[in-house]
Amino acid sequence: MSMFGDGLDAAVHKAFTRPAPKSAPAQMRYLVKKLGGTRAVAQMLRISQRTVERYVKDQIKKPRPDLAARLEREVKARWQPQIRAKARKKAATTGGIVIDTRARLGYTAPIGSTDQDRIRHLTVALPPQYAARLFDAQEASAGDQELQEIAAEALKEVYLQDGGRRAGSLEEVRFTDVEHLEFEL
């Protein structure tokens, strides 16, 4: 499970103007329409074409949990692409993104200064350039580790250094043991 990637997706999904199809047959019909046929959907979901057809005709209504999760993920990935793009663009150019997290946050600083590595609950508004970097990295299929590093750098700059007004000599910020993570556009 990708905590950071899923968190970014969830923030973007809040911008949707219409809810995505909920029932498995409705989701299957949506994918068939989007991909142009039952064969393409069957291949993508790793099930038989016959199974797809049976969902489309409402002959099967309740998928296995693993198929239900894949179905939900594929529908959400394709739902309202223009609105998703607009929400991301706004965050990356003007709006920025808010990160709400409970995690261990600490830093490496020059010898003689304190090294406060502790669990903190933070809600921090990150400027648009960090939203842009997070979305660009996610678009490029970055893993959670890379997204976590971008978030750590953003928290260092915005929260710990207050945009350059304090703690100028911090070297590396550790952002680990993430217990809770949510993004808001």
Side-chain angles (χ1 to χ4, degrees), residues 84-125:
R84 174 184 290 114
K86 201 187 298 179
R88 285 180 161 190
K89 185 176 190 312
K90 181 175 176 235
T93 54
T94 55
I97 193 166
V98 173
I99 183 172
D100 180 80
T101 187
R102 183 169 159 72
R104 184 168 301 281
L105 191 68
Y107 46 86
T108 312
I111 293 169
S113 57
T114 60
D115 181 6
Q116 300 174 300
D117 189 358
R118 63 178 187 260
I119 294 277
R120 304 172 195 234
H121 185 175
L122 301 174
T123 303
V124 179

